[in-house]
Amino acid sequence: MLAASRLHSICRERDNVIISVRRCLSSLKFLIVFAALTYALYQLFGMIGAWITPVDHYRIPEGHAVKAFQPSDKARTGEMMGDRLRFFYWYGE
């Protein structure tokens, strides 16, 4: 009988909604720290990306490097897009 009354009192306590200010502040503090660290990590990745990426993507290569794409007027002189695509698949370039 004692166990049944104890169970009944636990269920009644659970039905009452109690908002704890301390718990809300703790959750808010966690969210603020999480957002700040996420923003800091985002900025860090941006700085690393800017450091890795060259300044001028389209500059003329130096040394033994070769520019992979050379714009040309071959499309105007009769080369069809299908021929270029076939060449791409044939040579894998």
Side-chain angles (χ1 to χ4, degrees):
M1 184 70 173
L2 184 61
S5 66
R6 174 109 171 107
L7 182 63
H8 182 67
S9 68
I10 290 173
C11 290
R12 282 186 27 206
E13 287 176 11
R14 204 172 51 179
D15 290 340
N16 296 334
V17 177
I18 299 173
I19 298 174
S20 171
V21 175
R22 183 177 296 159
R23 196 170 186 183
C24 288
L25 290 176
S26 175
S27 297
L28 183 63
K29 184 174 83 170
F30 173 77
L31 287 175
I32 290 171
V33 169
F34 180 76
L37 290 177
T38 302
Y39 181 73
L41 188 65
Y42 173 76
Q43 291 298 323
L44 178 69
F45 284 156
M47 288 181 354
I48 291 172
W51 179 60
I52 290 174
T53 305
V55 176
D56 185 14
H57 300 283
Y58 302 107
R59 75 183 196 294
I60 297 173
E62 300 169 357
H64 297 291
V66 177
K67 196 159 187 126
F69 179 76
Q70 298 291 334
S72 66
D73 294 335
K74 288 185 181 178
R76 295 184 198 151
T77 61
E79 183 182 74
M80 301 300 291
M81 199 61 176
D83 294 336
R84 292 187 68 186
L85 186 62
R86 199 172 309 115
F87 179 75
F88 173 79
Y89 284 124
W90 184 263
Y91 291 105
E93 294 181 358

